[in-house]
Amino acid sequence: MVQYMALDRTFSALSDSTRRAILDRLGRGPASISELAAPFGMSLTGLKKHVQILEAARLVTTEKVGRTRRCRLGPDHMEDAVRWIELHRRRWTRRLDELAAYVEQAREGPA
Amino acid sequence: MVQYMALDRTFSALSDSTRRAILDRLGRGPASISELAAPFGMSLTGLKKHVQILEAARLVTTEKVGRTRRCRLGPDHMEDAVRWIELHRRRWTRRLDELAAYVEQAREGPA
């Protein structure tokens, strides 16, 4: 159940294009809130809210350094989301393979 | 921009554990709304709402067959979400590789 709620938060955090762009930016290295805000022409308050959502989903970690807040990608960065998608795709692909095998068999069957 | 909005819908649709469970179930084959509702002990109306969200995100397609509505996984099933995550992970891994190379170099450097 805890795992389910964590996944809810991860996918929900990824469902906003600004937040995905923040993750892209942090993939190139850590940045302060104001460095993150600049390319979006967004207020610091607005950007902070997005960062908080990413932080709650453990996609980002932040650390106070002097008067600024450094943001970087979190340690468990998207692993649970990737695991869910991969597991789901594996099951689904197996199902498609079974279907293809069945069609093949049916075609060869009563020639 | 259209691509961005589609991704918003995909990740948002995946951010609910009931909807992920519906996708898991449909990964094992098509099902009617009432077949989908049974294991959740959910009303048909409640389940229909989840299916509509999955349909808007193109994760599921539905078709009226007689008096029931058959649901199955959509054709572009999660491809855009997977593509975004994979691109992001590839960039991020490259960044980690560059960092590792830099640390290695720095360590070997001024022996």
Side-chain angles (χ1 to χ4, degrees):
Chain A
M1 200 56 177
V2 169
Q3 176 65 5
Y4 263 17
M5 282 171 58
L7 265 180
D8 287 7
R9 264 201 289 267
T10 306
F11 283 124
S12 181
L14 292 174
S15 72
D16 180 278
S17 59
T18 303
R19 291 197 289 270
R20 291 195 302 276
I22 292 172
L23 291 175
D24 271 341
R25 167 61 191 81
L26 293 179
R28 298 201 299 276
S32 68
I33 296 282
S34 41
E35 281 165 354
L36 287 177
F40 299 108
M42 192 180 270
S43 71
L44 293 187
T45 315
L47 197 110
K48 259 183 213 163
K49 276 184 196 159
H50 282 305
V51 167
Q52 277 163 4
I53 291 170
L54 290 167
E55 207 175 359
R58 299 165 56 93
L59 294 171
V60 161
T61 56
T62 74
E63 188 193 2
K64 192 105 182 141
V65 179
R67 291 172 60 192
T68 62
R69 183 165 285 279
R70 294 299 279 172
C71 308
R72 61 181 71 236
L73 293 182
D76 300 340
H77 184 58
M78 293 205 297
E79 284 315 309
D80 54 347
V82 168
R83 217 171 296 132
W84 185 85
I85 287 184
E86 277 171 4
L87 183 68
H88 180 78
R89 295 225 304 173
R90 211 164 329 142
R91 280 201 208 132
W92 187 48
T93 309
R94 197 168 51 216
R95 165 89 196 156
L96 288 180
D97 289 348
E98 283 167 10
L99 186 67
Y102 172 81
V103 169
E104 195 58 30
Q105 206 180 14
R107 206 165 54 178
E108 285 173 356
Chain B
M1 201 54 176
V2 169
Q3 178 64 5
Y4 263 18
M5 282 171 59
L7 265 180
D8 288 6
R9 264 200 290 263
T10 306
F11 283 123
S12 182
L14 291 175
S15 72
D16 180 279
S17 60
T18 302
R19 290 196 291 270
R20 291 195 300 276
I22 293 172
L23 291 176
D24 271 340
R25 168 61 191 83
L26 293 178
R28 296 202 298 277
S32 69
I33 295 282
S34 41
E35 280 165 355
L36 287 176
F40 298 108
M42 191 180 269
S43 72
L44 293 187
T45 316
L47 197 111
K48 257 183 215 163
K49 276 184 195 157
H50 283 304
V51 168
Q52 277 164 3
I53 291 169
L54 289 167
E55 207 175 1
R58 298 165 55 92
L59 294 172
V60 161
T61 56
T62 74
E63 189 194 2
K64 192 105 182 142
V65 180
R67 292 171 61 190
T68 62
R69 182 164 286 280
R70 294 299 279 173
C71 308
R72 60 182 73 235
L73 294 181
D76 300 340
H77 184 56
M78 294 206 295
E79 282 316 307
D80 54 349
V82 169
R83 218 171 296 132
W84 185 85
I85 288 185
E86 276 171 5
L87 184 68
H88 179 76
R89 295 224 305 172
R90 212 167 325 145
R91 280 199 208 134
W92 186 50
T93 309
R94 197 168 51 216
R95 164 89 196 158
L96 287 180
D97 289 348
E98 282 168 10
L99 187 66
Y102 173 81
V103 169
E104 195 58 32
Q105 205 180 17
R107 207 165 53 176
E108 285 172 358

